[in-house]
Amino acid sequence: MLENVGRKITLILVLVLTSIALLVVPETPFNLGLDIKGGLRLVYRLDFEGALQSGQITAADMQNQAALLAETVGIIQERVDPTGVIDAIVRGEGTDRMVVELPGITGTAGEGAVSALAADLDESATSLELAAADAAALAGFPQDGGRIVLGNERIHYGRRLGAALHNLARAQGGSKAAPHPAGTAVQIDARDPILESIESLGDLSFQIVAEAGDFDSQETDITKETEKLREWAAKNPGVPIAAFNRLSPAEGGPHPSIEWYPEALPDKARDIAEVDRSVPILRPRQLSWSFRGSDLLRVTPSSDNQGFPAVGFEFQDARKNDFLEFTEENTGRLMAIVLNGEMDSAPRIDEPLPGQGIIRGQFSPEQRDALIRVLHSGSLRIRPELENKELVGPTLGRDYVDRGVLAGILAVILVLGFMIAYYRRLGVWAAISMLLGFTMLMGALSFLNATLTLPGVAGLILTVGMAVDSNILIFDRIREEKDKGRNPRQAAKTGFERALSAILDSNITTFLTAIILYKVGTGPVRGFAVTLMVGILASVFAAVVVTRVFVHFDLVRGIKEHKMGRWMVTANYDFLSKWRYAVTGSLVLIAAGLALFIALPNREKLGIQFLGGAEVRVRCARPMATQELRDLVATAEGYVRDAEVKAVIESEVENGRYTDFSLVFKVGESEEEAEVGTSGNRESQFEQLVTELLKDVLLPDGVLLDYDPASGATNLTLSFSEDHPADDIQHILGEAAGIRDSRVVPIPDQPFAYQVAGSTAPNRDRAELLQAIRRAFQDPVDATGAAFRLATPITSSSSVGPQVVGELRDKALIALAFSLFVIVLYIRVRFAEYSYGFAAVLALIHDVLITLGVMTLLNLVGFLNGEITLTMIAVFLTIIGYSLNDTIVIFDRFRENLPRMKAPLREVLNISINQTLSRTIMTSFTTFLAVAVLYAFNVGTGNVLESFAFAMMVGVVTGTYSTIYIATPALIWFDAYFARRRARKSEELGRQPASTASAV
């Protein structure tokens, strides 16, 4: 009988219902990756020259900008994706730019969140209703509070319920309370938490606000110091206060005991000059009183005495006494909390603080969470400047996403159907437990706000395979015990107990691998690791607990027998008699595959993540389907025809047709391509290539001018990035460009383009007129509030350097090597021999190299896209997990049989392989079936799902093969090798003189 059945049922119900709630309650339980759904793409620039002039970096840093760029990228990666489940990509681009790609994120907080008030709002109102707002606009107002703008007033609200904002509170500083009539526009004012976490320097310090008694009155005082600051500011308009702080007193700088910091206004207004809101701060009088963000042990969400979100902090143990002394010495004074060169708050120290406190600033919940992430990740030396923000379409396309969903559903149905057909009643319980385990897995991913990408899908496939494998191990053990004559209750009890060892060993080794990948890896590798770890926990729980509860109730009802299929139950093959042929064949295949891989040019075997290249964004004259543009690009010569084409979501005109696209090029190794790849003006060279290739479909320049100087007749073709009223265009041309009596007519079949006929003064310089027209549309907005942006066929272009993504690759490989090392150590502890660990790792290396060779060959002949990308690395990791699971099961059975059988090692291994052969074939078949369905739905498409599924098919086959023909022969060889070493050591010790042995 199973103990504590009621508790187990309660635990199962709690976990399943919680998981269902996590999947049903949120509008979007988890995001899809950039390769599946698209997402947000941000381009930042690092102003190295400006940072050098302001003293943020040194001349030595300028000599090694690549290292500083890599350092910045690492910090930003940790800020935007600390757990790796969002699968954010942060990479360096060129020498001074950084690209941040956030999969599944289709906008930023507050964008488009404009509505109107349903009724008057007076100064004492505590709530308001939003009207004329659709669901998308309402979603821009965070449910857990934020800040809104009404006219010139900023108001904080505590909670949104539907279209009602509750707990209104006027923000202090920079806004004046006033009534607002019905119809007043209301817009979210919270800084976007993603942008804030990226752009915040994260430089935190705790200091004391200077007072009159801190100065020698004969030498100076606060009044004199303030006058000195204002005189300097008048002579240096626009120069940051930090420059004044770096001056010595002889140069007109501040008194040696103080520095000036501007106060950060709660509403983040920047219309008040720094000099008018600067506060004198004392320099630390003791070295131990210099406190920085790096001294903090933890930062946590909190709230201030007004209920606004705040940030709690606690110092590390080594600095708590210093902070206590600091606050004791300064009790009754104002403690300045300086963040990013601004004083966010200055609370009074009412009593000595034992190493902890809070940071106040009337933050929104999003700002508070962003600040916590920033303080956790570290400080930047250069503030990134946002240059471009865009939504990028999926690389797979809607059709491929639908294929993947259908393939996944069909695979689950086939696998569960096969389990039911073979194991019958037990198969039904296995199917239910697997579905419940998968529900818990998806609920956990929703709780983690995970992003599902191909690496994540790899983790899901592996965990589903493990869930099947765990049930198969249990059921086969039950069958074996029944065949020995045990009754159903004894067979079930013993079957679960004896299967548990193999289940735990195989899953723990894979879990350890995932931990190492998470700690050492970055980006998609960390996302894969998180999915894998959660999946292992869910699948083991489902098999060991949920399935056992179902079997328990079978036994309670008095079931006579659990019937099941008996494939390979009586197998008796001499597998190891052919091991020499198998090993020889594997070595030949590995050598051939490695030779082919090494011989291929990098451009043919490596993806752009590992090679570099360029990205050019284009705008077409008419809406086009993504595949239509891909076909056009494929007609080019050289590496240009291999460009990856992605649609920009925000440019969609109709279903599946876009005006804006992004083209990504890989740079090969020929002399011509190397010249483009290393040229200082490589972006313009790529622009020329794209312009020539797509000249028939690209949008004309934003302003095409036909001007007759004699008469002043002017004809224009204007193209914008979005639609604008013709009357507004006419008005701007007349007021700012001097074009009179113009007629503005939209051009049919050309979105956002207009034909203009008018006149201007005769004999105007054509270049001056053209410049005036362009300048006229730089600042104004139309009647709807939309800014004018003249279109251009090449909207942006940038080179893609492999330095930072190369770091992702290197870390992934390091993580892989370290994982193999940990596997050896764990197996050494569990099996009491290094032989098992070395043999298992040898089989894993075999599987990866065989798969690499097969994919390289198929890529060469054009059968599929088998180039090495981060996605392919995830495939290799999945294959390692699967193969290791299979190997551990056989080794575990061998360890069980060895002390009970008086037979040679080779014979015991053969018996162990045959005893587990049914399980091996069943697990391999179900896993192969799942990925084969995925491949069948994507064969011939050329997308990454096709190559992903095929590589997994190869991995399943080679993983099963290597367990029998590589791992077991290797175990025999390693066992004999270590036995010979032990014998030699024993013999050497036996020959030593007695005195020496005694000394030892």
Side-chain angles (χ1 to χ4, degrees), residues 487-600:
N487 62 46
R489 181 167 298 180
Q490 292 174 328
K493 182 177 183 297
T494 307
F496 273 98
E497 290 175 350
R498 293 193 171 179
L500 185 61
S501 175
I503 292 173
L504 292 181
D505 281 338
S506 59
N507 284 281
I508 288 175
T509 50
T510 307
F511 194 87
L512 289 174
T513 302
I515 292 177
I516 300 301
L517 292 175
Y518 177 78
K519 289 294 184 181
V520 182
T522 55
V525 176
R526 295 184 76 181
F528 168 83
V530 171
T531 304
L532 186 56
M533 286 188 286
V534 176
I536 289 171
L537 296 176
S539 63
V540 170
F541 178 83
V544 175
V545 178
V546 179
T547 302
R548 190 162 190 178
V549 168
F550 286 129
V551 174
H552 166 80
F553 283 108
D554 271 351
L555 298 175
V556 169
R557 287 192 293 268
I559 189 171
K560 300 294 184 182
E561 179 184 6
H562 283 113
K563 298 181 180 180
M564 64 187 76
R566 301 183 61 84
W567 293 357
M568 297 293 176
V569 170
T570 59
N572 186 25
Y573 301 103
D574 187 5
F575 289 104
L576 295 180
S577 63
K578 308 296 183 183
W579 74 268
R580 288 182 175 84
Y581 300 105
V583 171
T584 301
S586 291
L587 290 175
V588 170
L589 291 176
I590 289 173
L594 285 176
L596 180 61
F597 181 79
I598 294 172
L600 279 180

Side-chain angles (χ1 to χ4, degrees), residues 657-680:
R657 302 182 72 82
Y658 308 84
T659 57
D660 287 22
F661 296 88
S662 177
L663 280 67
V664 180
F665 301 91
K666 289 191 300 181
V667 176
E669 294 180 321
S670 67
E671 292 182 2
E672 294 81 9
E673 293 167 11
E675 181 181 351
V676 172
T678 59
S679 169

Side-chain angles (χ1 to χ4, degrees), residues 75 122 149 208 236 311 387 425 532 575 727 757 804 850 984:
I75 293 175
D122 61 31
V149 177
I208 296 297
N236 300 275
V311 176
E387 283 196 336
R425 189 181 187 88
L532 186 56
F575 289 104
D727 290 344
V804 177
I850 289 291
R984 284 197 301 269

Side-chain angles (χ1 to χ4, degrees), residues 23-81:
L23 292 172
V24 173
V25 173
E27 295 181 7
T28 54
F30 40 76
N31 295 315
L32 297 179
L34 203 67
D35 54 351
I36 298 176
K37 188 180 180 181
L40 184 64
R41 182 177 183 271
L42 308 169
V43 180
Y44 283 92
R45 177 177 174 270
L46 301 181
D47 185 4
F48 290 104
E49 292 290 344
L52 178 63
Q53 294 176 7
S54 63
Q56 294 173 287
I57 63 174
T58 65
D61 293 324
M62 285 293 292
Q63 299 298 320
N64 195 6
Q65 292 184 18
L68 188 54
L69 177 62
E71 173 190 313
T72 304
V73 165
I75 293 175
I76 298 303
Q77 178 78 52
E78 185 66 24
R79 288 184 180 183
V80 300
D81 195 8

Side-chain angles (χ1 to χ4, degrees), residues 108-109 190-198 365-367 369-370 373:
T108 51
R191 274 285 290 160
D192 183 87
I194 295 174
L195 300 185
E196 190 156 302
S197 65
I198 293 174
E366 294 79 13
Q367 288 174 313
D369 296 341
R373 287 198 302 271

